Amino acid sequence: MNFTVTSEINNKVATLTLVGSLDSSSAFVFQEEIQKVAVQSPVEMVLRVSELSFMASAGLRMIVFAKQKLGSQVQIYMVSPQDQIIDTLQMTGFIHSVHIVDKYPE
Amino acid sequence: MEAKKITYSYVASLDVLESIREMLTQAGNDIGLSKRKTYQLTLAIDEIATNVIKYGYQEAGISDGFFDLIIEFKEGELIVSLEDTATPFNPIEHSLPTEEDLNIPLEERPIGGLGVMIARQSVDEFKYEFVNNKNRNIFIVKTN
């Protein structure tokens, strides 16, 4: 399934909606969107991922990139990730650095 | 189940990853493997295939590389072997991040090693061989 990402910024909260498969061939699309929202210095980043069906380590590296680009104080929320993606976040320890929520705002 | 072996060949391009995932998902469904195990096998192979394509071939300046995926259905096991002729690389010699590494804040983390770690930990057994000038990464999933 192709990967798409769309973004919007409201009240300094960047919301990105990720759909499809995020792998090493599509990660650059996500990276470009992070760079685009970073210009507006958001204070929080919300990733809507309920329709993200696959995420490889290339996607995790983009989350690291977002933290580096936006600053460590910027909190990252992942809204409704699928179980298999939660497994990957758990295995790699990323679960400690992002907030997994059912909805945002909580 | 009678042992069955199927070989698929791919050009070394990241564009093939999606069709590999589709093929493996179908294979998992065909033998009644759980959704979670099928996903993890697919993820493991995606990670190693990415490394073979990017580092084994593209960064080594080899533009016409290819690799095979050999799928074997055996009693109680699904075995997938990824064979390539790129530079020898043994993921098992690659040190895995420690528990301590995994607790480092994201922004301070080194960027490498995650893919190999995911690949090795996502299947029941992971093996590597270098035979006949080929890398062979073997992924084994218990099916019952």
Side-chain angles (χ1 to χ4, degrees):
Chain A
M1 192 181 178
N2 287 333
F3 175 72
T4 60
V5 54
T6 51
S7 66
E8 55 179 304
I9 296 198
N10 282 312
N11 300 322
K12 290 269 176 196
V13 176
T15 303
L16 284 76
T17 304
L18 283 60
V19 175
S21 297
L22 177 53
D23 65 11
S24 50
S25 71
S26 56
F28 78 97
V29 181
F30 184 23
Q31 184 170 28
E32 285 173 358
E33 209 65 21
I34 294 166
Q35 281 169 321
K36 199 170 108 185
V37 299
V39 176
Q40 300 189 52
S41 307
V43 294
E44 284 185 348
M45 187 167 88
V46 179
L47 304 175
R48 295 198 181 280
V49 291
S50 63
E51 290 180 61
L52 185 68
S53 51
F54 180 85
M55 184 174 69
S57 61
L60 296 175
R61 279 193 285 275
M62 288 308 116
I63 296 175
V64 175
F65 173 76
K67 271 278 189 189
Q68 290 169 340
K69 191 83 187 164
L70 304 176
S72 58
Q73 76 290 354
V74 172
Q75 300 298 308
I76 298 181
Y77 292 82
M78 287 182 85
V79 185
S80 300
Q82 296 182 12
D83 288 347
Q84 292 87 338
I85 289 175
I86 295 178
D87 286 345
T88 307
L89 296 170
Q90 188 92 51
M91 185 193 297
T92 53
F94 274 58
I95 200 117
H96 306 302
S97 301
V98 295
H99 304 278
I100 309 289
V101 296
D102 290 335
K103 56 184 170 55
Y104 182 94
E106 288 173 272
Chain B
M1 192 195 298
E2 207 178 306
K4 194 170 130 192
K5 200 167 172 173
I6 311 170
T7 301
Y8 298 84
S9 293
Y10 298 94
V11 293
S13 157
L14 295 177
D15 296 340
V16 304
L17 293 174
E18 188 172 347
S19 59
I20 291 174
R21 291 196 297 268
E22 283 171 6
M23 180 277 288
L24 291 168
T25 302
Q26 188 64 51
N29 290 344
D30 287 349
I31 58 163
L33 197 63
S34 71
K35 195 179 165 193
R36 174 167 280 170
K37 280 201 148 191
T38 301
Y39 180 92
Q40 291 189 330
L41 172 67
T42 303
L43 178 60
I45 293 169
D46 192 278
E47 296 292 351
I48 298 294
T50 292
N51 285 353
V52 168
I53 295 165
K54 281 179 77 170
Y55 307 113
Y57 288 119
Q58 293 179 347
E59 286 196 3
I62 302 165
S63 58
D64 58 350
F66 66 93
F67 61 95
D68 288 339
L69 283 181
I70 300 137
I71 304 200
E72 287 174 78
F73 300 95
K74 282 191 180 166
E75 188 60 51
E77 285 183 340
L78 171 60
I79 305 168
V80 184
S81 305
L82 193 164
E83 292 189 359
D84 66 79
T85 54
T87 316
F89 178 78
N90 181 351
I92 292 171
E93 286 171 358
H94 206 94
S95 65
L96 293 181
T98 61
E99 188 61 36
E100 209 171 286
D101 291 335
L102 296 181
N103 286 317
I104 297 173
L106 289 188
E107 59 279 9
E108 293 165 22
R109 276 196 184 207
I111 224 85
L114 272 176
V116 167
M117 184 187 93
I118 290 172
R120 287 173 55 181
Q121 296 192 358
S122 294
V123 286
D124 292 314
E125 203 178 335
F126 178 86
K127 295 196 259 188
Y128 170 84
E129 300 167 350
F130 187 73
V131 196
N132 298 330
N133 288 320
K134 283 182 181 176
N135 291 293
R136 184 185 290 153
N137 289 276
I138 305 169
F139 307 83
I140 302 172
V141 178
K142 308 279 182 217
T143 55
N144 47 22

